[in-house]
Amino acid sequence: MSGQLEFWGAVIAMAAITYLTRALPFLLSSRNRLMRRLTEGSSMAALGPALLAGIAGAVIVPDMLALQGGAEWLPYAGGLLATALAARRLGNAGLAVIAGVVVYGALLALAGAQA
């Protein structure tokens, strides 16, 4: 009985979290007066880019610390460079990430083909 209760509790918690991640952007849109007050001229405006950088660091840094050879660094360096250049040039984080993933994948495929 306890196992079923834990299972359904986890299902309900996941459903609530999924709903909130989908609904909050609409509830806190730029038309919302509270959201405008929080973001205009405050540190909340930097929250989105800071979260992206934090997640990227948490994912990329451990992998890079495990690298041993110079050739293994090439896909990471190329992907990061492509992402930085695309972000600077295009001003769109989504397109920058796509560009970085494409370059990373291409360099990884080339490195795998040479091995």
Side-chain angles (χ1 to χ4, degrees), residues 79-103:
L80 289 171
L81 182 64
T83 303
L85 289 175
R88 179 85 169 153
R89 189 122 170 107
L90 301 173
N92 185 326
L95 291 176
V97 168
I98 291 170
V101 168
V102 167
V103 170

Side-chain angles (χ1 to χ4, degrees), residues 11-24:
V11 168
I12 291 170
M14 287 186 288
I17 290 169
T18 301
Y19 172 77
L20 288 173
T21 58
R22 305 292 196 278
L24 281 177

Side-chain angles (χ1 to χ4, degrees), residues 70-76 103-115:
E72 292 179 356
W73 279 84
L74 185 61
Y76 288 95
V103 170
Y104 172 80
L107 292 174
L108 194 62
L110 286 173
Q114 291 177 0

Side-chain angles (χ1 to χ4, degrees), residues 6-89:
E6 289 175 6
F7 170 78
W8 286 110
V11 168
I12 291 170
M14 287 186 288
I17 290 169
T18 301
Y19 172 77
L20 288 173
T21 58
R22 305 292 196 278
L24 281 177
F26 295 108
L27 296 174
L28 299 176
S29 69
S30 60
R31 294 181 305 222
N32 188 326
R33 191 173 46 200
L34 173 64
M35 193 61 181
R36 272 187 282 159
R37 282 187 186 161
L38 287 174
T39 57
E40 290 175 0
S42 74
S43 59
M44 291 288 287
L47 185 60
L51 287 173
L52 283 175
I55 291 169
V59 171
I60 294 169
V61 170
D63 286 345
M64 291 182 78
L65 290 176
L67 298 178
Q68 295 175 358
E72 292 179 356
W73 279 84
L74 185 61
Y76 288 95
L80 289 171
L81 182 64
T83 303
L85 289 175
R88 179 85 169 153
R89 189 122 170 107

